[in-house]
Amino acid sequence: MWPDFLTGQPGQPVRVVLIDDDAHMRRVISQELLGDLRTNLLGQASNMKDGRRLISQHEFDVMLVDLNLGDGTGFDLIEYMKAVHPMAEAVVISAMEDEQHALRAFELGATGYLVKNSWFGNFSQAVLQVVNGGASITPNLARRLLSKFEHVQRGDQIPHKGRDKDRLSEREKEVLRLVASGYTSAEIGSRLTISAQTVNAHIKNIYSKLQVHTRAQAVSFAALRGLF
């Protein structure tokens, strides 16, 4: 059962655009999205030029985008999308399963990174997760990112300044750890026995202290500086 208070209902589905140069992948993704009443695929493109046109012509909630597009990169489209539709979510779909590409996407404002041919559930679930405040990351990649964060926290890679670590309260660090694991505000509230509104207030404070604008940017910033 899909709770009626979450975004993505049969009568008001999440609007999605898909940009990928792999025709087979587009068919797979479109079949999943069109087969779920909670999602509505508005349009598809196979290259950056058509992708930019798709972004400019539609009002949508989530963009699914590949990184390699022949005439450009998905990074360029994420930047363009954030300029045109700053409230929309971007989820990367890529064959490249490395931390640097994922972190770059998150820094640009993406809230998901799915590796092609890897298990992560399905594309409808990924879309619904990010539009409801969560993050969607292929489990194997998420595990490697968390491992990287642990190394940073131990000081194995990038040193951090003491005053950076003092920016966040212990509760804010708890919230940020759960955000990094992909939990929604409601799920974080349930785990910490606080309301979703309180969680959102903590997240707002985190944004202000770290001077970021998205959950993904907050996680990337904090991880690289060992703030949690």
Side-chain angles (χ1 to χ4, degrees):
M1 295 294 292
W2 187 243
D4 58 11
F5 62 86
L6 291 178
T7 300
Q9 299 296 328
Q12 195 173 2
V14 178
R15 301 163 298 176
V16 185
V17 294
L18 168 62
I19 306 164
D20 194 320
D21 65 350
D22 184 333
H24 171 70
M25 201 70 197
R26 290 200 309 274
R27 283 195 297 272
V28 170
I29 297 172
S30 62
Q31 287 173 0
E32 289 189 7
L33 296 176
L34 293 171
D36 194 322
L37 294 176
R38 299 169 298 177
T39 56
N40 178 24
L41 181 60
L42 298 181
Q44 304 179 44
S46 61
N47 54 54
M48 191 175 77
K49 179 181 177 181
D50 292 341
R52 287 174 68 92
R53 184 182 302 114
L54 190 66
I55 291 168
S56 64
Q57 290 178 345
H58 292 278
E59 291 292 332
F60 58 89
D61 305 299
V62 179
M63 175 180 72
L64 300 176
V65 62
D66 192 5
L67 290 182
N68 290 326
L69 295 170
D71 60 343
T73 72
F75 294 133
D76 297 326
L77 284 181
I78 294 172
E79 285 189 289
Y80 179 67
M81 186 211 77
K82 283 297 180 182
V84 178
H85 303 291
M87 300 306 294
E89 306 286 350
V91 176
V92 169
I93 306 164
S94 177
M96 295 180 285
E97 187 179 355
D98 65 278
E99 299 91 336
Q100 292 306 314
H101 281 93
L103 288 174
R104 173 62 175 155
F106 295 152
E107 287 169 357
L108 292 173
T111 47
Y113 196 104
L114 305 177
V115 179
K116 294 180 179 180
N117 302 317
S118 294
W119 179 86
F120 53 79
N122 62 54
F123 292 98
S124 295
Q125 290 175 346
V127 165
L128 292 166
Q129 190 167 22
V130 299
V131 84
N132 281 287
S136 184
I137 307 174
T138 299
N140 288 344
L141 177 60
R143 185 66 176 265
R144 286 163 56 188
L145 286 170
L146 288 172
S147 176
K148 183 182 182 72
F149 297 165
E150 289 171 359
H151 288 314
V152 173
Q153 188 173 16
R154 291 199 302 267
D156 296 343
Q157 294 183 21
I158 301 174
H160 57 266
K161 298 178 181 179
R163 67 173 182 271
D164 285 338
K165 199 172 185 65
D166 293 336
R167 289 183 183 181
L168 302 182
S169 68
E170 289 304 315
R171 176 62 89 185
E172 287 165 350
K173 292 173 189 174
E174 284 183 305
V175 169
L176 192 52
R177 276 192 286 267
L178 291 171
V179 168
S181 298
Y183 292 105
T184 65
S185 293
E187 292 169 334
I188 294 172
S190 177
R191 284 176 169 264
L192 299 181
T193 62
I194 57 179
S195 70
Q197 288 83 1
T198 300
V199 172
N200 288 333
H202 284 308
I203 292 174
K204 184 177 180 180
N205 289 337
I206 291 169
Y207 286 178
S208 177
K209 289 181 179 182
L210 301 186
Q211 297 183 357
V212 296
H213 304 288
T214 70
R215 293 184 180 216
Q217 289 172 350
V219 171
S220 177
F221 181 100
L224 290 174
R225 288 160 178 78
L227 302 189
F228 62 77

